[in-house]
Amino acid sequence: MNTFKKIVVGGAALVVVLAAAGLALTHQGEIAPQASIPTAEFSPQQIAKGKLLAAMGDCAVCHTVPNGKTNAGGLAMPSPFGTIYTSNITPDVQTGIGGWSYEAFERAMRHGVDREGNYLYPAFPYTAFSRVTDEDMQSLYAYLMSEPAVEYAPPKTALNFPYNVRRGIAAWNWLYLKPGVVKDDEKQPPEWNRGAYLVEGLGHCSACHTPRNGLAAEKTGEFHLTGGSAEGWDAPALTSQSPSPLPWTKDDLLSYMKTGFSERHGVAAGPMAPVAHGLSQQSDADLDAVATYLMSYRDANAAPGDAQAMIKEKTATPKLALDAEGYRLYQGACMACHRADPSASTFGVRPQLALSTSLHAASPDNAIMAVLEGVQKPAHADLGTMPAFRHALSDAQIATLLNTMRAQYGMGEWSDLPNQVGKLRKQTAAQTH
């Protein structure tokens, strides 16, 4: 055999050996289905606790399609690698997780591997759920297994090569999955440590509020909680890098989590509305802990600012001619609710646009999405709704309206805004049907 043939044969043999080793190292065995759900082992207290934990973890937010059965799955989640559909997590034996023992449930939550041994895509935030205590994990399992079973097979996730090779996620896990319960910091008070556990564990706030790298993993260190994206919306920084014109105070955070609204910042909209609804179900002590932890990422010496003085300053004098098209659009579409005089408000809350984080952000996406989609499902019914202007205003009109508001409130115009409005309109069109 000549040297070239030896190299080819040897190379082929090496590839086979490496492939076999890779298959062996990434293999996850099937966990046998349980014969029946051990409901007799679940106490009422455990189930009640699990319900609160599920609300903190926003399980139903991702595992429920609009107007669908709770936790039956099928929600389409766009990703840079293709569309991922969420699974049915009701206790249906055939299409849900009714056949999953606690061991199978725990493996999925901590290691991202389902009962049959398939790797789960990290769109499911098991990197955060892996940090939950055994006691809380068992309570969550008890609650989910006690809910009504829904027979529904969601659409299959079918990504293009190489992302459809699920065993490749083993390498991603090796790089980015750091399992282990959130540990207390002895230098911090108990409420801070409780807040860290809730935010970094089931709360998985960083899943949306932290930027990601090219492999869709959360950036760490200085990037933690500095802003990300979710479902076409920007998730603003939870640190001092927040674009809000007024610094967030602890009271602001508590009000926002309890009610879905802060007078100094605005109302929870888009994917944040159901999150705020889930947060409002938590105890005052836990919400105080979350606020304590998040405030540690902000400048403790920042002055809170005077909201009324800022509103007066930004709205006192028109920055453009009163007959400018943007003002006419504002008068027709916005002014009835969003007047500078809060006493003119009628039903529900009416955020002051002069204090809007969306209008002060570097990116126009949230302001565009608010106009396109409105607020159809607020965090709480008493907040009221906002109509969607998707079918009432053109891309150019929305761009003119928003840039007029930017000018009125002392910021420069967003560039190429009509094109960005059109892009987001197209991306989110399917969500309106």
Side-chain angles (χ1 to χ4, degrees), residues 58-76 86-87 89:
D58 309 319
C59 301
V61 175
C62 291
H63 289 275
T64 308
V65 297
N67 303 314
K69 298 288 187 180
T70 302
N71 287 331
L75 185 70
T86 58
S87 58
I89 59 169

Side-chain angles (χ1 to χ4, degrees), residues 105-424:
F105 177 78
E106 182 188 31
R107 182 170 73 171
M109 292 288 284
R110 294 197 191 283
H111 302 285
V113 179
D114 71 11
R115 186 193 66 77
E116 296 177 336
N118 302 308
Y119 285 88
L120 301 173
Y121 290 109
F124 173 60
Y126 57 85
T127 50
F129 296 160
S130 68
R131 311 189 73 187
V132 175
T133 64
D134 291 340
E135 180 183 348
D136 282 354
M137 195 78 78
Q138 290 159 3
S139 294
L140 182 59
Y141 177 76
Y143 167 70
L144 291 175
M145 287 299 182
S146 301
E147 284 293 279
V150 178
E151 184 178 356
Y152 171 68
K156 297 289 186 183
T157 297
L159 305 186
N160 294 325
F161 182 83
Y163 308 114
N164 63 332
V165 182
R166 294 204 180 217
R167 285 198 179 187
I169 297 173
W172 191 96
N173 288 345
W174 181 77
L175 289 170
Y176 302 115
L177 175 60
K178 311 297 180 188
V181 175
V182 177
K183 290 184 173 19
D184 285 351
D185 184 339
E186 295 180 355
K187 298 178 182 179
Q188 298 291 348
E191 61 269 21
W192 186 97
N193 283 312
R194 176 62 178 171
Y197 172 74
L198 294 170
V199 168
E200 306 298 348
L202 270 178
H204 66 286
C205 302
S206 62
C208 293
H209 290 275
T210 294
R212 294 177 180 267
N213 62 23
L215 293 177
E218 295 174 23
K219 294 184 178 180
T220 57
E222 62 182 312
F223 297 102
H224 190 55
L225 299 178
T226 58
S229 60
E231 301 175 34
W233 294 74
D234 288 328
L238 300 180
T239 67
S240 293
Q241 296 181 35
S242 167
S244 173
L246 291 173
W248 282 80
T249 67
K250 186 175 181 179
D251 285 342
D252 292 338
L253 284 173
L254 288 171
S255 175
Y256 191 79
M257 289 188 290
K258 289 180 179 181
T259 69
F261 174 67
S262 164
E263 289 186 358
R264 291 162 40 88
H265 299 282
V267 66
M272 190 61 204
V275 173
H277 180 73
L279 286 169
S280 70
Q281 299 173 48
Q282 310 305 311
S283 69
D284 288 346
D286 276 351
L287 292 182
D288 187 79
V290 169
T292 297
Y293 178 69
L294 290 178
M295 286 304 297
S296 70
Y297 281 86
R298 300 177 183 274
D299 181 2
N301 298 317
D306 187 325
Q308 294 306 314
M310 179 170 287
I311 293 170
K312 184 176 180 179
E313 174 190 347
K314 289 180 177 291
T315 59
T317 305
K319 301 298 189 296
L320 302 174
L322 287 175
D323 63 349
E325 182 185 2
Y327 282 147
R328 293 200 300 271
L329 290 168
Y330 170 80
Q331 290 169 349
C334 312
M335 190 173 71
C337 293
H338 295 286
R339 298 185 64 173
D341 178 8
S343 65
S345 295
T346 52
F347 305 107
V349 299
R350 299 294 182 257
Q352 297 294 320
L353 297 184
L355 303 180
S356 169
T357 298
S358 298
L359 284 171
H360 286 77
S363 165
D365 289 2
N366 283 3
I368 294 171
M369 291 291 284
V371 176
L372 286 176
E373 297 194 345
V375 180
Q376 306 302 312
K377 295 182 178 180
H380 304 283
D382 59 358
L383 292 176
T385 60
M386 171 182 164
F389 292 93
R390 175 184 294 273
H391 302 297
L393 299 176
S394 68
D395 295 348
Q397 287 175 319
I398 292 175
T400 298
L401 169 64
L402 293 179
N403 270 336
T404 298
M405 295 298 96
R406 290 271 290 181
Q408 176 62 45
Y409 301 142
M411 281 97 49
E413 292 189 352
W414 282 307
S415 62
D416 199 28
L417 193 54
N419 285 337
Q420 185 62 9
V421 176
K423 178 182 175 182
L424 288 176

